[in-house]
């Protein structure tokens, strides 16, 4: 038995078209059946989670079954909210005649590379670190592998960027002392959270500088906290989904190695759409011979991971009834 569903955070990823969303949905149904309060979150801008459940989903949780909620994050909504906060904060620094140009720059930023990913990351980080979350388990149905790997490694990059921005804007000795006070002495340890303004050193700065410094430092702390959750194998686990074909195998092997480098725990690689033994016909027999070579290659490339299998179904997966059947198959497979 895998303990994947005993964690608080589960990430389901893999190459596009291998069945990540279907597996995410079925895992959520299985967890809910076991009495866990579960939320499934789609982070792929090309959402299909609602299609699998045959329900309309939006940017806030919708109850699909007892103990099971789902939502589809809208990156555009996240970008708009983030830029609105930035614009409002900048009003305290910019002269009134500069606001039109500032708002024009914000409009351009909406289409800048990385803007959606950064906004998406911040939303995910808040879900991951929410101490008052009502859910026992959050399953993230992620975008194809390359996008997901950037998303999971972005907290570290964003923290470095934030620290660089703070250093660039260090205009006073007091702010320098604050940064020195809040800089970790070793590794990725977090500095002490702000409690008393008189103790964190920000109270010596003017209000506007203090507000910007606090915002940037809070964001840096949020990303570090999220990263810590991702690295903890008792809290977080990554499940790769792949099919017994050449390209998914190559991409999965590379992704597993990349996550190992950044200390993200990978729990298993689920081999989806394996031809059932009872399938007959000359065409399927030829496919089965080819599939056998790929299954052997999966064993060689990913031998360090558990490799449960799911059969190729004779129907599309859509609706609660089919997902409940698939959940039973996952349970038989050891989940």
């Amino acid at each position: 038995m895998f303990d994947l569903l005993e964690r608080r955070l589960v990430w389901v990823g893999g190459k596009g078209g291998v069945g990540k969303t279907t597996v995410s949905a079925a895992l959520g149904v299985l967890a809910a059946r076991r009495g866990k309060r579960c939320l499934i979150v789609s982070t792929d801008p090309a959402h299909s989670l609602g299609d699998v459940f045959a329900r309309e989903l939006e940017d806030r949780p919708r109850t699909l079954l007892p103990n099971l909620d789902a939502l589809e994050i809208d990156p555009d909504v996240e970008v708009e909210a983030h830029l609105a906060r930035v614009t409002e904060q900048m009003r305290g620094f910019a002269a009134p005649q500069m606001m039109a140009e500032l708002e024009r720059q914000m409009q351009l930023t909406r289409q800048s590379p990385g803007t959606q990913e950064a906004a998406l990351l911040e939303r995910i980080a808040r879900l991951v670190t929410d101490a008052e979350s009502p859910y026992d388990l959050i399953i993230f149905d992620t975008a194809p592998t390359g996008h997901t790997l950037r998303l999971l490694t972005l907290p570290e990059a964003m923290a470095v960027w934030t620290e660089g921005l703070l250093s660039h804007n260090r205009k006073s000795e007091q702010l320098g002392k604050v940064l020195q006070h809040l800089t970790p002495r070793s590794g990725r340890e977090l500095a002490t959270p702000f409690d008393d303004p008189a103790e964190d050193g920000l109270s010596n700065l003017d209000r506007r500088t203090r507000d910007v410094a606090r915002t940037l430092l809070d964001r840096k702390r949020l990303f570090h906290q999220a990263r810590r959750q991702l690295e903890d194998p008792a809290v977080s686990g990554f499940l790769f989904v792949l099919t017994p074909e050449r390209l998914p195998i190559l991409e999965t092997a590379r992704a597993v190695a990349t996550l190992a480098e950044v200390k993200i725990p990978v729990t298993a690689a689920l081999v989806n759409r394996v031809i059932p033994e009872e399938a007959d016909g000359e065409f399927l027999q030829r496919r089965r011979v080819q599939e056998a070579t790929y299954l052997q290659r999966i064993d060689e490339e990913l031998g360090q991971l558990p490799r449960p299998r799911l059969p190729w179904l004779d129907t599309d997966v859509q609706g609660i009834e089919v997902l409940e059947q698939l959940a039973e198959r996952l349970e038989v497979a050891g989940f």
Side-chain angles (χ1 to χ4, degrees), residues 236-256:
S236 181
F238 204 103
L239 172 68
F240 276 104
V241 179
L242 71 158
T243 52
E245 298 170 285
R246 177 174 174 272
L247 293 182
I249 294 171
L250 291 173
E251 187 165 313
T252 301
R254 286 194 296 263
V256 168

